[in-house]
Amino acid sequence: MAIERTLALIKPDAMARKLEGKILDQILERGFRVVAMKKIKLDKYEAGCFYAVHRKTSFYDDLTTFMSSDEMIALVLEKENAITAWRDALGATDPAHAAEGTIRHTWGTAKNRNICHGSDCPDSAAYEIGFFFSGIEITRSNPEVSQ
Ligand code: UDP
Ligand code: MG
């Protein structure tokens, strides 16, 4: 298995509920290395660019309003098989269907106010990491990792 990087977001709902400490604990306890981390608030246009893949869905407008409603924490996480490992840690998109012990099952309240994001494949991870972080912020790297 290769060392990978993935983009995680602690979304506005989690921030409003002061869950960022608990989610950071989960990240560390589950063996991810935090390569980079920043607090950031997107505007609606930027949120739309981040979620451009969903632009034709019925939930796009609500999603981008939610994603631009408050600050988030963006993180680049590194681990063997990080993309799948972080998605597994999150659980299903709808917290009602997320497995016990997952982050979304434990703290999630509703599918349309998701508490965390995780990239879903290597191409998405590359786009999403580049969306939030510049090269110099993620340069302190493991040489095995390709961006
Ligand atoms: N979402 C929604 N309604 C839906 C499906 C998704 O509001 O029917 C939101 C949800 O907050 C999710 C985000 O859109 O986190 C992106 O959806 P995706 O299918 O990419 O889920 P994820 O990758 O976050 O599990
Ligand atoms: Mg997704």
Side-chain angles (χ1 to χ4, degrees), residues 68-115:
S68 56
S69 63
D70 207 343
E71 289 181 321
M72 300 190 287
I73 293 176
L75 306 104
V76 179
L77 305 182
E78 185 178 274
K79 188 184 169 163
E80 277 199 355
N81 214 14
I83 295 168
T84 301
W86 180 237
R87 299 273 306 177
D88 288 350
L90 291 178
T93 305
D94 185 342
H97 299 142
E100 205 162 318
T102 61
I103 292 168
R104 285 168 169 168
H105 177 270
T106 307
W107 292 288
T109 55
K111 182 168 66 172
N112 64 352
R113 295 183 68 77
N114 222 313
I115 56 170

Side-chain angles (χ1 to χ4, degrees), residues 11 51 54 59 63 66 87 91-93 104 111-114 116-118 120:
K11 292 187 178 184
Y51 271 133
H54 293 304
F59 58 82
L63 176 60
F66 168 64
R87 299 273 306 177
T93 305
R104 285 168 169 168
K111 182 168 66 172
N112 64 352
R113 295 183 68 77
N114 222 313
C116 287
H117 170 81
D120 63 5

Side-chain angles (χ1 to χ4, degrees), residues 22-65:
K22 290 192 166 61
I23 292 166
L24 286 166
D25 277 348
Q26 288 284 316
I27 288 169
L28 298 177
E29 282 168 17
R30 289 170 189 264
F32 293 90
R33 186 170 84 88
V34 176
V35 176
M37 173 165 68
K38 67 169 72 163
K39 211 176 195 189
I40 187 164
K41 184 176 187 302
L42 300 182
D43 65 27
K44 192 168 162 77
Y45 174 77
E46 292 162 342
C49 293
F50 179 74
Y51 271 133
V53 68
H54 293 304
R55 68 191 175 283
K56 297 204 169 111
T57 65
S58 57
F59 58 82
Y60 181 69
D61 188 55
D62 284 348
L63 176 60
T64 53
T65 297

